[in-house]
Every structure is written in structure tokens, then in C-alpha cells.
Amino acid sequence: MKFNYTTLLLLVLCFISSHNVLANEEDLVLKDQQGELFELSKIVGNKPVYLKFWATWCKPCMQQMPHFQHAYEQYGDTIDTIAINIDLNDGPAAVAAVKNRFNLTMPIMTDDTGKVAQHYQFIGTPFHVLLDKTGKVIFQGHEADKALDNTLRLLSHDGVVEKTRLLDEANKQAAIALDIPTQGLKAVLFTATWCDWYLADTRPEMAKNCVAAQQQMNTLAKQGVDSEARISQLWTDQAAVTEYKEKFNVSHPLTIDYGNDLFINNEISKVPTLLVYKDGKIINRITDFTSSVNLQNTP
């Protein structure tokens, strides 16, 4: 696939210095490895905070783990640090394996609702977010580079940094709501443009499942079932959607879920996921596409 990770990364590395994000909402909650809930408000605004969003199947995330552990060892006393698994096509066993592989000692938590990632304008892993001691977000980025290291160093001294480096919010687009009919069937596939090829090496069975899901959606559309797909905004732009549509000969509508609002509202933690609606209500949630999906005889 021509649209690779490097291309996607270049799309999101656009920074500005005039955007402020405050993180003091009470509903920003993570889950630790013991399943206990942790409110970010308990640490935000006390001293600097370093949040790193990652996934076990993300190759650059694994490459950056030694750097992340080193940063925690160097600044853990002055900067609260949390490794946040995004909980997309992941699980506790895989997270524990990464922890053991890299001897990670910082707190590891899961964003099982997706709301924390959404709040910090998460686009794709790896994603670094730094907050100063007042709770102001002063850094967002994907690379474990000199800019990140310099910001960590400055935060460790005074807890504040004058110059911010943030993602450009001007390019953000609003999500389009789903139109679910009050009568009849509708099939909505939640998937990603990259899951068939990016996961081919790290999670081959998941990649095959992504291909099968889209193939079965094509069949449903040909059968006359009202069908559409919502694409995760992670690592995606309209060019990737167009390429995906051509690759799989997709005839039904494909729309990027900007902000991942629909993914969050429908508790989608695995791609692909097919939601089947009847008379405006969800009657089935399908994540395994090894067997054919047949909706023609749905009661």
C-alpha cells in the first residue's frame, strides 16, 4: 500500500504555538492494570505530567519504549508519567507482555472509554502529551526526538515552559452523525483504512479479519442492505479512504469518524466491528468475520 506510516506521520506533524488545552475535567478516567479506575484530575495541576499513548501492535511504539523508560527513570521524580494503552485491538495479556519485554516501571493504564485520547486530540500512536504544573498542555507529538527531550528537561526544572508545540486544531473537521432509519435494517461497519496491511505482520489474524469484514460488507450492499462504513480517524485522511475504496471496490458510503465520536459512543474497541440495526435499534454486534454475515432472513 502506497500510503504508509511515514506518509501518515507527516500529515499530523503540523504544530502551532497559539493553542491552549486545559485538562481538569472530572470525567477523564483511566483504568490501571488491576482494573481500578484512576482520575487524571488527581495529578493534573500539581506538577508536570507526561502521557504517552501507545498500542502493543504499533511498531514505532515498540521502538520508542527504551526511550520512554529512560525518560521515566530520569524525570519520574519531578514529572508524573503514565503509559496509556489506547485499548484498540489490544488486551491485558499483550500489555503485560510489553511491560515485561521492556522492563517498564512507570504506571501503565488503559483508556478503555477512548475519552482521554479524544480530549488530548489523539490522532495516532505513538503520541506524547506533556502538561505543565498548571495543567496546561504545552507539547503534543509523535516522535521521541530532541524537541520532546528538551521539553521534558525544561519541565523537570521549573514545571512550566513558555514555548508550546501543539497540533494544529485549525485542520480539525466535525464528525457526521449516523442516519439510522426507524424502520428496516441497516449495517454499519466500524473499521480502519490501515488494519488490513499495517497489522499484517504484528497481528495477521486481525488483518485477515479486516479484509473479510469489508468483503462481506460489499456482499451485503449488493444484496440491497442499507450499508455504510465509518473509518477511524487514526492515521487516516481522505486520500487513504479513496485508496481503500478503490482497493476493495467499495460501493457503499465510507466516512471518516473525525474525533472518533461514533467509535466512543458505540464503545468500539476492536476493528472491524459491524453493528446491525433493526427499526432504529442495535440487534447485533459482530467482530468475527470468519463466517459469512447473512441479514436477509433477519426477523
Side-chain angles (χ1 to χ4, degrees):
M1 192 147 184
K2 296 179 181 178
F3 200 83
N4 57 25
Y5 175 81
T6 301
T7 304
L8 291 164
L9 185 59
L10 290 174
L11 287 171
V12 296
L13 287 179
C14 178
F15 297 100
I16 60 173
S17 60
S18 60
H19 174 61
N20 292 339
V21 180
L22 293 180
N24 52 13
E25 282 79 357
E26 295 297 328
D27 62 346
L28 294 183
V29 178
L30 299 168
K31 186 176 293 185
D32 65 23
Q33 289 189 288
Q34 289 71 45
E36 298 295 325
L37 298 181
F38 177 81
E39 297 178 2
L40 273 180
S41 59
K42 292 181 178 179
I43 61 172
V44 171
N46 298 323
K47 63 180 182 179
V49 176
Y50 178 13
L51 307 175
K52 177 163 181 172
F53 295 85
W54 63 286
T56 65
W57 41 262
C58 165
K59 298 174 187 176
C61 296
M62 298 303 99
Q63 295 169 356
Q64 290 183 9
M65 280 307 178
H67 174 277
F68 189 38
Q69 176 60 27
H70 176 72
Y72 177 66
E73 293 173 357
Q74 187 170 5
Y75 301 116
D77 291 337
T78 55
I79 300 176
D80 281 323
T81 303
I82 302 177
I84 302 178
N85 181 269
I86 63 172
D87 197 31
L88 181 66
N89 288 36
D90 241 327
V95 171
V98 171
K99 177 181 180 179
N100 294 333
R101 175 184 173 188
F102 294 100
N103 296 314
L104 302 179
T105 56
M106 77 286 294
I108 298 177
M109 300 188 188
T110 299
D111 183 19
D112 62 335
T113 66
K115 292 182 179 180
V116 177
Q118 182 185 49
H119 178 81
Y120 290 109
Q121 304 168 335
F122 168 77
I123 294 178
T125 54
F127 187 54
H128 311 268
V129 177
L130 300 181
L131 294 77
D132 68 14
K133 65 182 180 181
T134 71
K136 175 185 174 183
V137 176
I138 49 87
F139 184 96
Q140 296 167 312
H142 301 273
E143 300 281 9
D145 56 9
K146 186 175 181 179
L148 174 63
D149 290 338
N150 287 344
T151 308
L152 285 169
R153 177 176 54 81
L154 292 171
L155 279 179
S156 70
H157 289 307
D158 300 321
V160 293
V161 175
E162 292 184 4
K163 186 177 180 180
T164 61
R165 184 178 179 182
L166 305 175
L167 293 177
D168 187 356
E169 195 177 52
N171 293 324
K172 291 182 64 177
Q173 300 186 46
I176 300 175
L178 273 175
D179 183 15
I180 305 299
T182 56
Q183 293 184 334
L185 288 174
K186 179 154 187 173
V188 181
L189 179 68
F190 289 83
T191 189
T193 58
W194 41 265
C195 66
D196 64 302
W197 59 271
Y198 187 74
L199 296 177
D201 293 332
T202 57
R203 299 289 191 277
E205 293 305 315
M206 290 183 184
K208 292 178 182 178
N209 201 42
C210 289
V211 174
Q214 185 54 65
Q215 291 173 339
Q216 294 191 45
M217 279 294 288
N218 291 349
T219 299
L220 291 176
K222 290 178 181 178
Q223 292 173 348
V225 177
D226 185 0
S227 307
E228 71 170 285
R230 290 306 172 106
I231 305 297
S232 171
Q233 72 158 5
L234 307 185
W235 311 281
T236 295
D237 65 357
Q238 196 56 51
V241 172
T242 300
E243 187 173 356
Y244 177 92
K245 186 174 182 178
E246 294 174 352
K247 179 178 181 180
F248 290 103
N249 298 313
V250 178
S251 60
H252 60 73
L254 289 171
T255 308
I256 297 175
D257 183 25
Y258 291 107
N260 271 15
D261 290 343
L262 292 174
F263 274 71
I264 292 173
N265 293 341
N266 289 286
E267 299 180 346
I268 306 297
S269 61
K270 184 177 182 180
V271 292
T273 293
L274 176 64
L275 297 186
V276 181
Y277 293 81
K278 181 176 174 59
D279 298 338
K281 297 181 180 180
I282 296 175
I283 62 170
N284 203 354
R285 179 184 292 258
I286 302 170
T287 58
D288 183 356
F289 296 89
T290 55
S291 300
S292 297
V293 176
N294 186 355
L295 302 182
Q296 290 183 311
N297 297 320
T298 302

